[in-house]
Amino acid sequence: MATRVSDALLSTVNTGFATEKATADQKKTQGNELGQDAFLTMMLTQMKNQDPTKPMDSAQYLAQLAQFSTVSGIEKLNTTIEGFIGQLQTSGAMQASGLVGRQVVVDSDTGYLDATQGLAGNITIDSPVDAVKISIATPGGQVVREVTLGAQGAGETAFHWDGRDASGVLRTPGNYRVVAQGLRAGEPVGLSTSMSAPVDSVSLSAQGSKLNLRGLGEYALDDVRAIF
């Protein structure tokens, strides 16, 4: 943390100490912004070079001491906060690393078809619908399977695709797009989807931990809706 020193304080410093002040300023400041060490150096220099016949006013001296105490306290507070943030980041990284190999659910219209587990996800329905149709397509838009569900109430409706197309042929593992549409009073209603995917690895950065989901890419830990 830095504090701004008044022009009156700067003007009292003896010219012979200009080099000393410049060195302190270069290390701790930009312009008139001084850190704790530079501020103390400036105040001591002022005291040593004051005019004996016109000593520093006691009120001015106390005000500068109070200013110094404020700077010192804020810098200590910043150090404490930075340490606390570092601990939180470490805790978050440890929590994220424990998810490797687990299945998580995130908002997405693309799912990963696993050779052994198929493709699973959820449909979010805000209010009851008379029917739901799920279309599964390749990244290029070719529909390979359509599934029709009956009436569904509000909430989360889980679905699972075993990977077989309309002809019963097992499709190649990989990414597939899932589009869900409801029917309410004869009118089509778009429905949002979330997908389940395994966590392959965790990436750590200054912005926080990122989960690398198979076929889906990177997601923040906050994006996870469920863990299995």
Side-chain angles (χ1 to χ4, degrees), residues 47-69:
M47 293 174 62
K48 289 189 296 183
N49 293 277
Q50 64 182 333
D51 186 346
T53 63
K54 297 179 180 179
M56 181 188 298
D57 180 80
S58 58
Q60 181 183 5
Y61 176 67
L62 290 175
Q64 291 177 8
L65 281 179
Q67 189 178 22
F68 169 73
S69 298

Side-chain angles (χ1 to χ4, degrees), residues 119-160:
L119 184 153
N122 296 297
I123 302 169
T124 302
I125 304 173
D126 56 358
S127 59
V129 292
D130 303 322
V132 173
K133 183 176 74 172
I134 303 173
S135 298
I136 301 173
T138 65
Q142 178 190 359
V143 176
V144 297
R145 184 71 183 271
E146 288 187 337
V147 179
T148 300
L149 306 178
Q152 303 291 323
E156 299 280 332
T157 297
F159 68 88
H160 179 268

Side-chain angles (χ1 to χ4, degrees), residues 34-119:
L34 299 179
Q36 175 180 335
D37 293 341
F39 182 81
L40 181 58
T41 298
M42 293 293 296
M43 188 174 69
L44 292 176
T45 300
Q46 178 187 17
M47 293 174 62
K48 289 189 296 183
N49 293 277
Q50 64 182 333
D51 186 346
T53 63
K54 297 179 180 179
M56 181 188 298
D57 180 80
S58 58
Q60 181 183 5
Y61 176 67
L62 290 175
Q64 291 177 8
L65 281 179
Q67 189 178 22
F68 169 73
S69 298
T70 300
V71 172
S72 177
I74 293 177
E75 287 191 348
K76 289 179 181 178
L77 178 61
N78 283 346
T79 300
T80 301
I81 292 176
E82 289 173 359
F84 180 63
I85 291 174
Q87 292 178 359
L88 288 179
Q89 290 175 337
T90 300
S91 176
M94 294 179 62
Q95 181 182 7
S97 64
L99 295 177
V100 175
R102 303 280 296 273
Q103 291 278 335
V104 299
V105 176
V106 295
D107 290 331
S108 177
D109 62 357
T110 298
Y112 182 80
L113 174 63
D114 185 88
T116 58
Q117 299 182 10
L119 184 153

Side-chain angles (χ1 to χ4, degrees), residues 150-200:
Q152 303 291 323
E156 299 280 332
T157 297
F159 68 88
H160 179 268
W161 178 44
D162 61 5
R164 298 185 182 276
D165 62 19
S167 302
V169 177
L170 194 62
R171 302 292 300 191
T172 303
N175 288 354
Y176 289 84
R177 187 164 183 264
V178 178
V179 177
Q181 189 175 68
L183 189 67
R184 184 182 298 131
E187 295 294 328
V189 179
L191 304 173
S192 60
T193 58
S194 54
M195 300 296 168
S196 175
V199 180
D200 285 336

